[in-house]
Structures are given as structure tokens and as C-alpha cells.
Amino acid sequence: MTNHLNRSEFEVKIHTIKPERSTLHGSFSKDFEPIITIESGETLHISTLEAAWGLEPHRKDRQRKRFEPRENPIDQGHAMIGPISINGAEPGMALEIQINDIRPGSWGWTSAGGFPSENNNRLGLAEGEEYHLNWQLDTEQMVGTSNKGHQVTMSPFMGIMGMPPDESGIHSTSPPRYCGGNIDCKELVAGSTLYLPISVSGGLFSVGDGHAVQGDGEVASPALECPMEHVSLTLSVRDDVKIDFPRAKTPTGWVTMGFDEDLNEATMIALDGMLSLMMELLEMERKEAMALASLVVNLRITQTVNGVKGVHAHLPHGAIRK
């Protein structure tokens, strides 16, 4: 499960983790035993199952193969690798996740309708059978092709990166939380750095729910769900980053996030985080930040389908110059 590559004293250890019974789980809990403990600054090389534990695309002739065995209620949610403990991680600190590389597997799926949800009910799509598309994923050209001939450009990211809240019991993987989880933010591509508030000792970080591509909103509930062949993450503990909700530096700009069942409240949380970030980065007072945010910050709906809705505020690099 673990592979240490010591090429020099200046290079970090690399831990290779593959999906197997001992490394998978489908819920969050501060009481779960970590599958591994690493030092701050070390790198993980991970491969993942697709979110629904599937081992193949959907089949019309029979039930598709899924990973077994699974244990309820621990494995009821998305298939995740973890938890991973980081030495020195304590509540009040932040976990820095550098997303070095993400490479999807060769297949994926998406679906729409056929089950009750807020969006399906409102749009008249809840009744009847669920509509499925299977996809072949070309990771050289970064193009997905469906069984109906649709083609989309891939932009892969991990839907879930997070840690458990400091509350007893087992917690669903579905809603995003202040400490991460099912964030479903399409901005978190390779080259991004995500910062999450740490809520429990060791952090207990987990990752899963690979998406080959997703639009803002993830309106059908699935994105282009796929296994990930290779995910490289570097985890570092930061005691100099003080945040209440996730933020990220991406190739296109800075992002702050807000989550709440009320979309307006999620918006205010994301905007509040962006004003604080602008004050920090650009050394300006809050009203000045608000005035400039109205010119250059974009508010985007991250997802509307996880019960707790997400909004992210995006500040493009170089949008404000002095």
C-alpha cells in the first residue's frame, strides 16, 4: 500500500495507495482509524474507484459489477480513499492540498432523471427510467465520447476532498462542509492548491468522486463520473493560514467557497471569504475590497444537487493592478 521513494534527502516521500478493501470507505467519521500516517509535505499517488463503487460502465443486460464487499453504514456513500492522518495537523490549522496531477481511467458514465430530487421534481424528470450515457475517455486527446456519439473536452478534478467534522458518529459523503467533502468545484484541476480548515487531530483526509468534466451546478446530480488512474496530491499542514471555509488558488484565479442549504447564504459565505482574501492579498480595507469585487469577482453556483448547495467566488489572477 505504501511506497517510499527516497531519491535524496531534499525530496519528499511518495505514498502509493490503490483502491482495496483496507483503503476504501464511504462516509466521514473522526473515529475512523487512518489507513496511513504521513508527514506534512509528503505526496500521495492514488488511484480511485468511481463514486458509486462501480467496476465497469452501466449495462442493459445485467447489473454492472461493483466493488465488494461493502459494509453498511460505513460504505453507503461515495467510494473514497482514506482516511489519511498527517502528523502535526490540529484543529485551527489548515490543510494545504497541492493537486499535482489527475489522470482519468478509460471509461465513465453520467445519467439524468428517473429519481426524485429538487431539480428532477421541478423539471418533470423524476418519473420513468433513469437515462444513462456511457463514455470512452481518451486521456491523450482529453476527449470523452459517449455511446450516443456526443463528444466533450475533459477537465478532470476530484469531487470529494475533505475531512470529518469534530462531531461524533458517521457522516454522509453527500453534503460539502466547512472542512471539505463533496465540494464538486470544477476549478480544482491539476495545478490548483486547495486549503481546508482542519477540525480534528490528524486531519483524517479522504479523496474520491472523480469527474472527467462537470459544468457549474452539476445539474443532473452526476457529473461525468469516472475512476481515476492517477491522482497526485501533496499534503501540508499550515499553521499560518486561518480560514473558516475552503479556499483555493487555481491556474485561473483565487476561489473562496460557501456552503448552505440556502443558496443566498452560501453566496454570502463565499463573498465574505473573498473580501477577507482580498484584504489579505491586496492590503486593502473591507469596503475597498467590496467595491473592487463588484468589478472583477465572479460568483458561480458550484452545485445545486447535494442538499447543501455550493457557491464559489472567483477572482482572476491579475484582475486588480496597482
Side-chain angles (χ1 to χ4, degrees):
M1 183 182 69
T2 304
N3 181 27
H4 294 179
L5 301 181
N6 294 310
R7 287 169 284 187
S8 83
E9 63 180 346
F10 301 105
E11 294 184 354
V12 299
K13 292 179 180 178
I14 297 177
H15 304 270
T16 300
I17 307 175
K18 297 186 180 299
E20 53 193 33
R21 182 58 276 177
S22 62
T23 64
L24 287 165
H25 62 117
S27 56
F28 287 101
S29 176
K30 68 176 185 177
D31 298 320
F32 289 166
E33 289 294 322
I35 63 170
I36 189 174
T37 298
I38 68 171
E39 298 299 324
S40 177
E42 293 184 347
T43 294
L44 307 172
H45 284 181
I46 292 170
S47 52
T48 70
L49 302 180
E50 57 96 352
W53 302 76
L55 301 177
E56 62 180 357
H58 286 269
R59 300 284 300 262
K60 286 188 175 181
D61 58 336
R62 60 173 173 78
Q63 287 284 95
R64 67 182 181 133
K65 295 178 182 177
R66 298 177 188 263
F67 182 93
E68 296 291 348
R70 302 206 306 274
E71 179 183 346
N72 286 326
I74 293 173
D75 297 327
Q76 283 186 334
H78 301 76
M80 302 187 300
I81 294 287
I84 293 147
S85 179
I86 306 95
N87 271 334
E90 294 294 340
M93 299 178 180
L95 183 64
E96 175 187 280
I97 302 113
Q98 295 179 33
I99 305 167
N100 307 312
D101 188 29
I102 304 177
R103 186 169 64 249
S106 62
W107 62 272
W109 64 273
T110 194
S111 68
F115 60 92
S117 70
E118 185 176 354
N119 288 0
N120 286 343
N121 293 343
R122 175 66 177 80
L123 298 173
L125 299 171
E127 301 300 323
E129 292 186 1
E130 191 171 357
Y131 179 85
H132 284 282
L133 290 172
N134 287 330
W135 297 82
Q136 292 294 317
L137 307 182
D138 182 339
T139 57
E140 295 296 323
Q141 300 298 319
M142 294 303 287
V143 171
T145 303
S146 81
N147 57 303
K148 300 286 189 179
H150 316 98
Q151 288 195 331
V152 295
T153 299
M154 295 194 294
S155 182
F157 70 97
M158 301 309 297
I160 293 182
M161 290 183 283
M163 296 170 284
D166 187 18
E167 302 168 11
S168 60
I170 293 173
H171 302 275
S172 170
T173 62
S174 293
R177 300 178 177 87
Y178 67 94
C179 47
N182 196 21
I183 296 172
D184 283 335
C185 181
K186 72 173 190 177
E187 306 292 335
L188 299 177
V189 295
S192 301
T193 301
L194 174 65
Y195 299 88
L196 299 176
I198 295 170
S199 57
V200 298
S201 293
L204 300 181
F205 174 79
S206 296
V207 58
D209 191 24
H211 294 163
V213 67
Q214 177 202 294
D216 286 332
E218 199 187 20
V219 295
S221 287
L224 206 173
E225 309 290 334
C226 67
M228 287 295 179
E229 183 177 313
H230 177 71
V231 181
S232 175
L233 306 174
T234 300
L235 306 185
S236 302
V237 176
R238 297 287 300 269
D239 60 6
D240 59 333
V241 176
K242 305 299 181 183
I243 51 175
D244 297 321
F245 271 79
R247 69 167 58 162
K249 185 178 183 181
T250 78
T252 62
W254 281 93
V255 170
T256 56
M257 303 178 192
F259 311 127
D260 197 88
E261 293 182 3
D262 185 300
L263 194 60
N264 290 328
E265 181 60 22
T267 301
M268 290 300 103
I269 294 169
L271 181 56
D272 181 59
M274 178 54 71
L275 297 182
S276 296
L277 178 62
M278 292 172 69
M279 293 168 65
E280 176 186 327
L281 293 178
L282 302 172
E283 298 181 343
M284 57 181 59
E285 57 101 7
R286 192 169 174 83
K287 288 182 180 178
E288 182 182 6
M290 184 66 160
L292 289 166
S294 196
L295 308 184
V296 298
V297 170
N298 301 299
L299 290 173
R300 297 172 177 164
I301 297 174
T302 318
Q303 56 74 27
T304 61
V305 295
N306 295 324
V308 173
K309 298 174 175 66
V311 172
H312 60 280
H314 181 268
L315 172 65
H317 295 310
I320 300 171
R321 301 174 297 279
K322 283 190 177 182

